[in-house]
């Protein structure tokens, strides 16, 4: 250690030369000196005043960007996104986009089968997406980012800031010469910070011609010329590079540790646009399918039940389901097919099908019992199904365990994730139980119909039948109407199974 350093340390220890306050003062003094060496004499460190030259600096920028400020104020933000995307699409993509619109898909649905329409839409989507290279997406996203950053910059309230220097200043009136006065720095320190937040995020080295080309396409004229904007950016860049505002804020706030910390934002619109295009097309196809399914369902309901009104279950219903869906939960997804199944079991299975089963299975003399067993078992299972549905439905009655649990859980699900998950699991379990009944009943109906078709073919062979050997006796018992009875039951089962197949019935795994 040198003698000078040694004696300096002794002096500092006596007079507190290195205490925090003294260090801060030395740093601020150095900052003021550095600021004074620049060509921007915006701040007077001795008096803590802001010079009118700072107001003039902002006024020139305000004057330059004022037309753009007015234009952006009258532009729908969504139109900026739309025109950015439109300018990024090729002519072939624009044509494909028209083909993928909801209107175009619905129009095609009038003359195309659903599967053919799905294939066409899928091909168009693939062609549409194929042109979106990474470079193309990045370019479009950057264009939109620059556009929004320009908009945010021009929308900054320059007028409010300048009014603090000249209270008589009129907004966007650049004919009168402003009379800016010296003001205390504390009055505008937050304004400078706000300005920095919108100015320093601008990509000052980027190419801006594409932005002004877009604005001209939007409004027919450029709000400001590219040359004027580049001059503004040059002035901003000089201020930023020399840390002028950072030093001013440090001096005004007497905080030498203050640093300009600006969050640079990037806007990504193309991925969302591509995703939304597919979502719109898929959603339109699903709506078409739903409408076609509803039409098929109505037609099949008429074939199966005629004019008979189909009553819903007592508790597993759409009405109860609304208590769950409006809270963001899944609902009872099989209430409609379950009501059809119960009605079919009561109106038809327990009457016509049972009567036919009694004739064929009970009175029929089968060549072997093994041949009779499938029809016997399927008819027996179908007879039990209506009781299973009633028992299932009672699980959701007013005082059931399910309902009591849901009454406890529902008020908590919005703030309690565990309560939400438990409620969701209970509903999933209920839907899975309904699905099991529907799938089992459908399988038994198909099995009965398959065996019925087999015995009908055997009936035609009579008296040389090989499955049931007493067809003549059975037909006599049925008053000569056995064959029509078999055909009628087969047709009814076929129509009902076709009806149920319009509903996507699956048993979902739960964790």
């Amino acid at each position: 250690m040198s003698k000078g350093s040694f004696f300096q340390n002794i002096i500092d220890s006596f007079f507190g030369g290195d205490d925090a306050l003294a260090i801060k003062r030395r740093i601020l003094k150095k900052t003021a000196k550095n600021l004074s060496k620049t060509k921007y004499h915006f701040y007077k460190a001795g008096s803590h005043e802001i010079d009118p030259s700072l107001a003039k600096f902002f006024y020139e920028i305000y004057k330059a960007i004022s037309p753009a400020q007015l234009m952006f104020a009258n532009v729908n933000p969504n139109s900026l996104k739309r025109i950015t995307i439109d300018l990024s699409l090729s002519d072939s993509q624009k044509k494909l986009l028209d083909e993928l619109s909801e209107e175009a898909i619905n129009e095609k649905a009038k003359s195309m089968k659903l599967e053919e329409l799905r294939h066409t839409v899928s091909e168009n989507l693939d062609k549409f997406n194929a042109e979106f290279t990474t470079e193309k997406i990045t370019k479009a996203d950057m264009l939109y980012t620059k556009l929004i950053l320009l908009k945010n910059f021009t929308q900054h309230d320059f007028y409010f800031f300048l009014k603090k220097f000249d209270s008589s200043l009129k907004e966007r009136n650049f004919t009168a010469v402003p009379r800016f006065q010296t003001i205390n720095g504390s009055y505008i320190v937050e304004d400078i910070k706000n300005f920095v937040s919108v100015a320093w995020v601008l990509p000052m080295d980027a190419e801006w011609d594409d932005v002004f080309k877009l604005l001209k396409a939007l409004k027919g004229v450029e709000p400001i010329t590219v040359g004027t904007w580049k001059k503004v950016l040059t002035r901003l860049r000089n201020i930023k590079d020399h840390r002028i505002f950072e030093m001013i804020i440090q001096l005004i706030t007497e905080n030498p540790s203050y640093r300009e910390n600006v969050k640079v934002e990037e806007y990504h619109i193309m991925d969302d646009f591509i995703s939304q295009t597919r979502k719109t097309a898929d959603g339109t196809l699903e709506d078409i399918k739903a409408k076609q399914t509803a039409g098929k369902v109505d037609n099949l309901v008429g074939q199966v039940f005629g004019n008979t009104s189909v009553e819903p279950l007592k508790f597993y219903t759409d009405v109860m389901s609304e208590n769950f869906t409006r809270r963001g939960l899944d609902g009872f997804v099989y209430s409609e097919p379950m009501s059809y199944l119960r009605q079919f079991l009561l109106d038809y299975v327990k009457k016509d099908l049972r009567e036919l089963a009694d004739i064929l299975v009970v009175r029929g003399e089968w060549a072997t019992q093994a041949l009779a067993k499938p029809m016997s078992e399927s008819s027996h299972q179908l007879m039990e199904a209506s009781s299973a549905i009633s028992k299932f439905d009672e699980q959701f009655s007013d005082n059931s365990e399910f309902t009591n649990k849901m009454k406890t859980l529902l008020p908590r699900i919005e703030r309690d994730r565990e309560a939400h998950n438990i409620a969701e699991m209970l509903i999933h379990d209920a839907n899975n139980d309904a699905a099991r009944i529907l799938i089992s009943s459908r399988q038994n109906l198909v099995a009965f119909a398959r065996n019925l078709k087999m015995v009908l073919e055997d009936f035609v062979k009579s008296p040389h039948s090989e499955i049931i050997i007493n067809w003549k006796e059975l037909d006599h018992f049925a008053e000569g109407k056995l064959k029509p009875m078999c055909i009628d039951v087969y047709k009814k089962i076929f129509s009902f199974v076709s009806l149920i197949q319009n509903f996507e019935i699956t048993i979902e795994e739960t964790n």
Side-chain angles (χ1 to χ4, degrees), residues 225-456:
T225 65
V226 177
T228 300
W229 176 240
K230 287 181 178 179
K231 288 179 183 178
V232 170
L233 289 178
T234 300
R235 301 187 74 185
L236 293 174
R237 182 63 180 265
N238 287 333
I239 296 290
K240 182 181 180 182
D241 288 350
H242 288 89
R243 299 175 40 249
I244 302 301
F245 289 156
E246 183 177 285
M247 289 190 287
I248 289 175
I249 293 170
Q250 288 172 346
L251 293 170
I252 293 174
T253 60
E254 296 185 349
N255 177 15
S257 64
Y258 171 81
R259 295 292 181 272
E260 293 171 339
N261 185 16
V262 177
K263 182 181 178 182
V264 179
E265 289 189 79
E266 292 182 356
Y267 295 87
H268 301 280
I269 61 170
M270 295 308 292
D271 284 341
D272 286 343
F273 166 68
I274 295 168
S275 176
Q276 187 59 47
T277 301
R278 178 174 290 277
K279 186 177 179 181
T280 298
D282 289 343
T284 303
L285 288 172
E286 288 304 311
D287 287 343
I288 292 169
K289 179 186 175 183
K291 290 175 182 176
Q292 291 183 357
T293 298
K296 290 179 183 177
V297 167
D298 289 344
N299 183 50
L300 288 167
V301 167
Q303 290 181 30
V304 175
F305 301 108
N307 296 324
T308 303
S309 177
V310 179
E311 296 295 328
L313 302 187
K314 287 184 179 180
F315 307 108
Y316 184 83
T317 63
D318 289 340
V319 174
M320 178 178 279
S321 184
E322 288 176 4
N323 293 328
F324 313 140
T325 55
R326 67 168 172 254
R327 289 178 169 87
L329 298 168
D330 288 338
F332 289 156
V333 295
Y334 301 125
S335 56
E336 186 177 356
M338 283 291 280
S339 65
Y340 293 144
L341 176 60
R342 189 191 65 164
Q343 193 82 24
F344 186 72
L345 291 170
L346 293 175
D347 291 357
Y348 207 81
V349 170
K350 287 202 167 186
K351 295 178 182 178
D352 297 38
L353 190 144
R354 169 182 276 176
E355 181 182 358
L356 181 60
D358 285 345
I359 294 173
L360 296 176
V361 178
V362 178
R363 294 180 178 275
E365 293 182 16
W366 293 69
T368 66
Q369 284 302 309
L371 292 171
K373 188 176 180 180
M375 179 174 277
S376 176
E377 287 185 348
S378 58
S379 63
H380 177 74
Q381 292 295 326
L382 288 168
M383 298 307 153
E384 296 294 325
S386 61
S387 297
I389 292 175
S390 296
K391 185 177 180 181
F392 163 81
D393 194 31
E394 285 296 326
Q395 295 179 77
F396 314 105
S397 61
D398 293 342
N399 295 315
S400 66
E401 181 181 356
F402 173 90
T403 302
N404 289 332
K405 284 182 179 179
M406 293 302 285
K407 285 179 180 177
T408 303
L409 293 168
L410 289 179
R412 296 162 41 202
I413 60 171
E414 291 183 2
R415 65 180 185 276
D416 187 340
R417 187 64 191 174
E418 185 178 358
H420 182 280
N421 291 340
I422 294 172
E424 198 82 290
M425 183 182 66
L426 290 172
I427 296 169
H428 282 179
D429 288 346
N431 287 329
N432 280 344
D433 288 344
R436 289 186 184 94
I437 293 173
L438 287 163
I439 292 170
S440 175
S441 297
R442 184 180 63 195
Q443 289 172 342
N444 284 314
L445 284 166
V446 170
F448 189 89
R450 188 183 299 117
N451 283 277
L452 183 56
K453 182 181 179 183
M454 181 180 66
V455 297
L456 259 171

Side-chain angles (χ1 to χ4, degrees), residues 105-123:
I105 294 174
N106 278 317
E107 186 62 30
K108 285 187 178 71
K110 296 176 182 179
S111 58
M112 296 174 69
K113 292 182 178 180
L114 184 58
E115 286 309 308
E116 184 184 359
L117 180 59
R118 282 188 187 278
H119 180 71
T120 300
V121 169
S122 179
E123 279 191 336

